[in-house]
Amino acid sequence: MLFLYQSNRLEQLGELFCGMTQAMPLADPFAAETVIVQSRGMGRWITLDVARKAGIAAHIDFALPAAFAWRLMQQVMPDLPRKSAFVPEVLAWRLLALLPTLEGEPFGPVLHYLEGGEAAAFELAGKIADIFDQYLVFRPDWIRAWEADELLGLGEDEAWQAALWRQLAESDPGRHRVRMLDQFFAELKPEHLPPRVTLFGIASLAPMYLALVKRLAELTDVCLFTLNPCEAYWGDIVDARRMLKLRQAGDLFATQGHPLLSSLGKQGRDFFELIAEDAELDARPLFAAPKGDSLLARLQRDILELNDPSQLPRPFDPADDSVEVHACHGPMRELEALKDRLLAMFAADPRLSPADVAVLTPDINAYAPYIDAVFGRRDDAPNIPYSIADRRVEREQPLLSTFAAALKLADSRFAADEVLALLDCPALLARFDLADADLAFIQDWVRDAGIRWGRDAAHKASLGLPAEAAYTWRWGLDRLLLGTVLPPALAGDDAGLFAGLLPHTAAQGQLGEALARFADFYDALDALAGEWAAPAAPQQWAQRFHLACDSLFLADGDDEAALELLRETFAELAEDADLAGFGQPVGLAVARDWLLRKLSSSSSQGFLSGGVTFCAMVPMRSIPFQALCLVGMNDGAYPRDERPVSFDLVARNPRRGDRSRRFDDRYLFLEAILSARGRLYLSYVGQSARSGEPLPPSPLVSELLDTLSAMCGEDMAARLTLRHPLQPFSPTSFDGGDARLA
């Protein structure tokens, strides 16, 4: 049976979930409570919420939809491998082997993509693998039709994609998810399933997983806890543009409802219509109207009750600070203004703690350096504890960034500043017995010896330039090393040259030992660049990368964890190539592209860790906070621009329930408005740092301000927007001894 529980507040759903697990425990005390979530952050919130209410939270098995489905398939069909040959990371290698063999019709449209060489072919293989994975999840009917040798009239790129898919499917029959799902549904039995499956906080499911949920509901109890912003039926409301078209077509019954609900809620409307068709609705009312008469509470109440905000406008109270909009001169100034306002909030409300505050931004990787610069601990100002979640994995550990930089350096010009930048890594310094005190000397030596770029004369020649050794690393280091043993006066000729080199005596005495260790570091880099210039199979690249880590790093503590992550990634590279049956030699560009994609994935650490949480604006992050702050809400930055590849047939033939970055972002903005319990803070770069001219905010911020203006009968953009001129950062005076800010 499928039970659907809806509420406008996550706390209500959390209370019901906790009560359900206590009042109706599983028959087997050793069985885990299975909870499907769409983000690790939601799982952490549930754990903390249950622990607060019940005193303990244990034996809850959190899983993402895709991982749960694959795990269940492996249980029903034990012969399945640990990883499918049709997952994008494996499929890309299979496609890289297959694409160069294509010729003639219907592959004419794709052949010109292969003219850019091996790196371009691998990039194309990755794009095709991604859209094929999308077809498996969102268009299983297309996959079945193509395998039956049928075309569906989807556009000019359908013929070659269908033919390419058939070749992939024939090489590994019966193993992709569409075929497995048919077999899985036929063989699935109640004994394969947990006694209860819970889906919590999910606002969208692909058709494949929606079909799985409905199949599970036929065999066991499935409880779906989902946020619904409105207690009334709102499936037939449309935005202003759509309503105008319907009115022009003669549909006089079209209704807009609440403007934010109609313009931002398309993704939620589609999901509720798809899931509610076969669900048994719970009769208990779970909706709770926000209390109070603040501007934010009134806005949330209008959305809940589907009120038209322009019908009963009420004057704005100047003392109401529940909604704030800040226009700043840049990201750094945004964070400075945010810290000032947070300190003022903590001073005004003793009950508010840093853990009650979340700061969301569309691009957390771009804002992370500014966050650390402004919120980092300092002795001359109050400090607010904070954590940053969702950063790229390589940003979390300097060692990962250093290895990525070494990969990019290997086939580059070996610019002096790029080589010296690698010395910022403590694990690399430890490997070559260098100290921080040596770095200033090394930088001076490199500059004074005339080292600019290039490994040696042969390296310059390989770049199509004259084979001139001057100003290269080999030339400069030979001068420095020669100067430690042979002063210019003893060089042997009138010009002070020895074998055509002028000794450079900067590293005399004990400094010569540091120079020798630095030369060892450069020799290791030079050896790696020479070795990596030769193509190799992915399995050999994995081994090469292993050896490179051993030669470059000596790690302990956090750096050891980063090294272990690298080793696991290298093993995955070899495993994916083995699953794909790919053993052809590829160049560094291909292996590096694969590895950098892995290192660019987001880290789940730092979410709800006790301080202010800085995180990315990602779907399903509808966790409630007393103060919710959205920074970086710039025009063009949010909603984020979505540009699918030109041959993406899903983008050309959309359906209800499709995932769209733009619709995801709009619904996430609506969820953020509803998740703020006391304060909603928004900021954007609203003034040019060069000219001072005004810059517009995100269109979503403008829509919010227009709605608030209708609620109050006046221009709220002028009343709520605060502008912050450029000036040195000066935190508000605040008692830094407050335990909440320690």
Side-chain angles (χ1 to χ4, degrees):
M1 186 69 70
L2 178 61
F3 299 95
L4 178 61
Y5 304 101
Q6 302 179 77
S7 178
N8 62 319
R9 297 215 156 195
L10 200 66
E11 300 95 325
Q12 298 287 113
L13 297 176
E15 185 174 347
L16 180 62
F17 171 75
C18 184
M20 179 187 73
T21 56
Q22 291 180 332
M24 296 181 291
L26 302 179
D28 183 0
F30 297 103
E33 188 77 43
T34 302
V35 182
I36 301 175
V37 293
Q38 277 189 316
S39 70
R40 298 296 182 189
M42 182 63 75
R44 180 161 177 77
W45 183 88
I46 296 172
T47 301
L48 295 175
D49 188 61
V50 171
R52 280 192 296 266
K53 291 181 171 66
I56 187 172
H59 217 24
I60 303 177
D61 179 20
F62 294 104
L64 302 179
F68 174 78
W70 185 251
R71 187 175 68 190
L72 202 55
M73 287 180 181
Q74 287 181 311
Q75 185 178 350
V76 175
M77 299 176 284
D79 59 328
L80 290 182
R82 190 184 68 85
K83 181 184 288 188
S84 169
F86 286 87
V87 296
E89 53 267 30
V90 177
L91 196 57
W93 291 113
R94 297 177 61 195
L95 285 165
L96 183 61
L98 186 58
L99 288 175
T101 67
L102 303 179
E103 57 184 13
E105 292 297 330
F107 300 109
V110 76
L111 293 180
H112 73 278
Y113 287 107
L114 304 176
E115 298 173 358
E118 183 183 64
F122 186 65
E123 183 179 2
L124 174 63
K127 299 291 186 183
I128 297 175
D130 288 338
I131 66 168
F132 277 173
D133 183 66
Q134 188 179 7
Y135 297 163
L136 286 169
V137 175
F138 288 91
R139 297 294 188 273
D141 54 318
W142 291 3
I143 297 296
R144 294 187 182 97
W146 289 351
E147 293 185 1
D149 207 14
E150 299 176 9
L151 295 181
L152 303 173
L154 303 174
E156 60 182 6
D157 291 306
E158 182 188 9
W160 70 262
Q161 291 187 36
L164 183 59
W165 176 261
R166 282 193 291 269
Q167 292 193 33
L168 290 169
E170 289 168 2
S171 65
D172 191 0
R175 289 299 180 185
H176 63 71
R177 278 180 285 184
V178 173
R179 288 182 179 176
M180 284 191 295
L181 197 64
D182 295 337
Q183 179 185 353
F184 170 68
F185 282 173
E187 298 182 7
L188 184 63
K189 299 178 181 178
E191 53 264 28
H192 296 130
L193 302 174
R196 180 169 57 215
V197 176
T198 299
L199 292 88
F200 197 97
I202 290 180
S204 179
L205 278 176
M208 177 183 190
Y209 301 122
L210 191 57
L212 174 61
V213 168
K214 293 183 177 181
R215 175 59 179 156
L216 294 179
E218 297 174 1
L219 303 174
T220 189
D221 288 339
V222 177
C223 303
L224 175 58
F225 295 81
T226 185
L227 283 171
N228 190 336
C230 183
E231 62 182 351
Y233 175 73
W234 57 289
D236 55 358
I237 67 174
V238 295
D239 58 19
R241 181 182 301 178
R242 178 64 177 163
M243 185 172 65
L244 179 61
K245 292 181 179 180
L246 292 175
R247 294 280 174 84
Q248 290 174 344
D251 186 352
L252 302 180
F253 297 97
T255 177
Q256 183 177 357
H258 194 281
L260 292 182
L261 203 57
S262 59
S263 66
L264 306 179
K266 181 181 183 304
Q267 184 195 81
R269 288 198 304 271
D270 291 346
F271 176 67
F272 291 130
E273 289 184 10
L274 290 171
I275 198 67
E277 293 174 355
D278 303 310
E280 177 179 318
L281 297 180
D282 185 79
R284 288 172 293 177
L286 297 177
F287 293 95
K291 298 179 181 179
D293 202 36
S294 67
L295 188 62
L296 178 61
R298 288 167 51 197
L299 174 65
Q300 294 175 345
R301 201 157 46 238
D302 285 345
I303 294 175
L304 174 65
E305 299 170 357
L306 202 59
N307 297 329
D308 186 344
S310 62
Q311 294 300 314
L312 294 173
R314 295 173 56 186
F316 172 67
D317 181 2
D320 188 344
D321 58 357
S322 60
V323 180
E324 298 182 22
V325 182
H326 296 259
C328 304
H329 274 87
M332 185 73 169
R333 191 68 183 124
E334 279 189 274
L335 272 300
E336 291 172 348
L338 173 65
K339 184 174 183 180
D340 278 342
R341 291 301 301 136
L342 289 181
L343 290 171
M345 291 180 195
F346 295 137
D349 185 359
R351 296 171 301 175
L352 186 67
S353 71
D356 297 324
V357 180
V359 184
L360 280 65
T361 179
D363 190 351
I364 189 64
N365 293 296
Y367 272 76
Y370 303 110
I371 296 169
D372 288 327
V374 174
F375 284 81
R377 188 166 187 83
R378 47 190 291 180
D379 296 330
D380 60 341
N383 295 293
I384 302 176
Y386 73 98
S387 62
I388 305 177
D390 302 320
R391 279 191 292 189
R392 287 200 297 266
V393 173
E394 63 174 302
R395 296 287 185 94
E396 292 286 336
Q397 297 287 347
L399 188 148
L400 300 180
S401 298
T402 301
F403 189 76
L407 288 174
K408 298 172 184 176
L409 183 70
D411 58 355
S412 72
R413 290 162 54 99
F414 260 67
D417 57 341
E418 294 176 356
V419 174
L420 293 177
L422 300 181
L423 297 175
D424 289 336
C425 178
L428 187 143
L429 293 179
R431 168 57 68 192
F432 296 97
D433 198 19
L434 291 169
D436 291 337
D438 298 327
L439 300 184
F441 293 110
I442 291 172
Q443 291 171 351
D444 291 341
W445 296 338
V446 170
R447 181 185 63 252
D448 296 342
I451 299 173
R452 297 298 180 262
W453 67 274
R455 291 155 51 200
D456 50 28
H459 182 214
K460 283 189 172 182
S462 69
L463 298 175
L465 300 172
E468 175 61 51
Y471 307 110
T472 64
W473 277 96
R474 188 74 278 153
W475 174 83
L477 283 175
D478 285 347
R479 289 187 61 206
L480 288 165
L481 293 170
L482 187 61
T484 63
V485 296
L486 187 65
L490 302 177
D493 63 13
D494 295 338
L497 300 179
F498 181 84
L501 287 175
L502 178 66
H504 193 286
T505 59
Q508 293 288 330
Q510 294 182 345
L511 291 178
E513 298 180 7
L515 175 62
R517 292 192 291 269
F518 175 67
D520 289 341
F521 156 70
Y522 172 76
D523 288 341
L525 280 183
D526 185 64
L528 289 177
E531 180 185 8
W532 289 353
Q539 296 85 345
Q540 293 173 292
W541 277 114
Q543 185 63 27
R544 285 180 175 182
F545 292 155
H546 271 292
L547 296 176
C549 284
D550 292 339
S551 66
L552 290 179
F553 304 114
L554 181 63
D556 58 5
D558 292 341
D559 286 333
E560 180 57 38
L563 265 184
E564 185 60 31
L565 177 61
L566 277 178
R567 296 187 185 104
E568 292 174 358
T569 305
F570 302 154
E572 189 175 355
L573 169 61
E575 179 188 13
D576 288 350
D578 287 337
L579 283 173
F582 187 93
Q584 304 172 22
V586 296
L588 171 63
V590 171
R592 178 175 58 207
D593 181 62
W594 185 95
L595 188 61
L596 292 182
R597 286 187 190 180
K598 284 291 182 182
L599 295 182
S600 65
S601 61
S602 297
S603 169
S604 59
Q605 297 180 353
F607 195 78
L608 298 179
S609 58
V612 175
T613 299
F614 289 87
C615 59
M617 296 186 73
V618 295
M620 319 312 157
R621 187 143 285 175
S622 51
I623 296 173
F625 289 91
Q626 287 299 316
L628 195 65
C629 310
L630 309 180
V631 301
M633 302 298 290
N634 309 325
D635 183 32
Y638 198 84
R640 285 161 284 204
D641 191 20
E642 180 182 43
R643 297 187 179 182
V645 294
S646 60
F647 48 82
D648 185 352
L649 299 179
V650 168
R652 293 188 199 170
N653 303 272
R655 292 180 183 174
R656 187 179 66 175
D658 284 350
R659 293 298 300 274
S660 164
R661 169 62 68 86
R662 198 163 188 83
F663 289 145
D664 279 350
D665 282 350
R666 297 183 76 86
Y667 197 68
L668 174 59
F669 187 72
L670 177 63
E671 289 183 325
I673 294 173
L674 300 178
S675 298
R677 292 295 173 257
R679 294 173 182 263
L680 179 64
Y681 176 103
L682 304 103
S683 74
Y684 66 99
V685 178
Q687 301 165 89
S688 171
R690 291 186 176 181
S691 64
E693 64 176 320
L695 300 175
S698 162
L700 304 189
V701 177
S702 298
E703 288 184 31
L704 173 62
L705 291 173
D706 290 343
T707 302
L708 296 177
S709 298
M711 291 171 55
C712 299
E714 58 179 306
D715 183 10
M716 294 306 296
R719 296 292 298 271
L720 294 178
T721 303
L722 304 176
R723 300 193 177 275
H724 299 268
L726 283 173
Q727 60 186 29
F729 177 41
S730 178
T732 54
S733 59
F734 187 78
D735 181 9
D738 194 310
R740 297 170 298 160
L741 307 182

